[in-house]
Amino acid sequence: FEHHNFIQRNRQPKHTMSQLQKLARCMVPPAGVAKKLDWRKLDGTVLSLEIGKHSIGMALAQHPESSCETPVVKALGKIDINRVAHQDNRLTLHPNDVETLREIIKKHSVCGLVVGWPAPSGRLDYNCGLVMHTLQSFQDNDVLNQNRPYALWTPSSLSKDGCDKYGRSAIYAQTAKPQIRSNRERTCTMDAGTILKEFMMEHFEHLNEHNLAA
C-alpha cells in the first residue's frame, strides 16, 4: 500500500490535495483492473504505461478468451512527452500529450490501466512523484475515472524479503542515502510490455511467456 500512502502524505496546497484525493478514488488493486477486463472481454483492453520524465512506454492486452491473435500482449512503443512546470513543483503533461493518450484509449476501447510503479529499492522517491503527477494530469482531463480505473504494478524484481505478515518492510525505517540529482531521475527497469505480461500472468490462468510475447 506504499503508493496509496504516498498520495496521502504528499503535502500540497489544498486545491492540489483535493485533486490527489480524486486521483485516489480512481485507483483500484490490480485485481480490480483484471475484473474490468473480464466484464469487457469481448471489446475491452488493458493499457500498461511505463512513465518516464520525457517519454511514456505503452503496451496493450486483450482478454485471453477474446483474442484471435497471438500474442495477447502487444507493444505500442513509446511517445515523447513535454511537461509543464508549476509553482507547487508538479510536472504535468502538456495538453497535446494528454490528447494523444486519449485517442489511443478511445481507439483501443481501453477499460483500465496498469502503471509501472518505479520503486525498485522499496523507497518512495522522485520517480514515484513523477508517476503520480502524470496520473494527476490524466485524471484532471478525464483520461482516468472510476469507470476507467488504474492500478499500480510493482516490478517483480522488488524483493519482498524481510516483510512481516502485514507487508511492512524494515527498509522504510532506514536512513536515506544522499544522492545526486542525475540519479533521482532514473527510469523504471521494466518496460510496458513486461509490466503487462506480469499482470496478465498473475490474473489470468493458462497464460505463459509463449502466448504473451509482445
Side-chain angles (χ1 to χ4, degrees):
F1 301 105
E2 69 270 12
H3 36 69
H4 185 270
N5 292 336
F6 180 84
I7 295 177
Q8 303 301 325
R9 294 199 306 263
N10 191 14
R11 296 180 179 179
Q12 299 286 355
K14 289 184 178 180
H15 71 282
T16 305
M17 179 55 72
S18 175
Q19 292 171 334
L20 289 172
Q21 290 168 344
K22 291 179 181 177
L23 180 60
R25 287 197 289 268
C26 298
M27 183 172 68
V28 297
V33 173
K35 185 178 293 185
K36 276 281 185 181
L37 186 58
D38 264 334
W39 291 340
R40 296 275 307 278
K41 66 175 63 177
L42 296 180
D43 63 344
T45 63
V46 167
L47 181 70
S48 68
L49 302 177
E50 180 214 355
I51 298 173
K53 185 173 183 180
H54 302 293
S55 65
I56 298 178
M58 299 176 294
L60 196 72
Q62 296 176 299
H63 194 283
E65 293 181 14
S66 67
S67 178
C68 297
E69 301 178 357
T70 301
V72 174
V73 174
K74 177 182 178 181
L76 298 182
K78 291 189 176 186
I79 58 171
D80 295 327
I81 58 174
N82 295 297
R83 295 187 177 273
V84 179
H86 296 264
Q87 291 182 347
D88 57 10
N89 295 322
R90 289 182 300 127
L91 290 174
T92 58
L93 292 189
H94 190 279
N96 291 346
D97 298 323
V98 175
E99 186 59 31
T100 296
L101 187 65
R102 192 198 307 276
E103 291 174 358
I104 291 171
I105 286 174
K106 181 178 179 180
K107 177 181 179 181
H108 297 286
S109 300
V110 173
C111 61
L113 293 88
V114 179
V115 181
W117 186 241
S121 66
R123 294 187 181 278
L124 304 177
D125 59 9
Y126 172 90
N127 297 282
C128 297
L130 195 63
V131 169
M132 299 315 298
H133 291 162
T134 303
L135 294 177
Q136 188 176 330
S137 294
F138 295 157
Q139 192 275 329
D140 289 345
N141 292 276
D142 203 38
V143 172
L144 297 174
N145 52 53
Q146 290 179 303
N147 291 322
R148 189 189 301 116
Y150 73 96
L152 299 177
W153 187 264
T154 303
S156 61
S157 57
L158 176 57
S159 173
K160 297 185 183 301
D161 294 341
C163 293
D164 63 16
K165 64 180 180 179
Y166 300 106
R168 298 175 301 191
S169 173
I171 191 171
Y172 297 110
Q174 298 175 6
T175 302
K177 296 180 180 180
Q179 51 182 319
I180 61 175
R181 183 173 178 83
S182 60
N183 286 338
R184 291 171 58 200
E185 298 177 3
R186 67 182 184 279
T187 58
C188 181
T189 56
M190 295 179 64
D191 61 28
T194 305
I195 291 168
L196 196 50
K197 289 176 192 176
E198 284 196 0
F199 168 81
M200 295 296 289
M201 290 180 67
E202 177 73 21
H203 294 95
F204 296 93
E205 297 179 354
H206 312 304
L207 291 178
N208 54 52
E209 289 289 340
H210 297 290
N211 53 20
L212 278 176

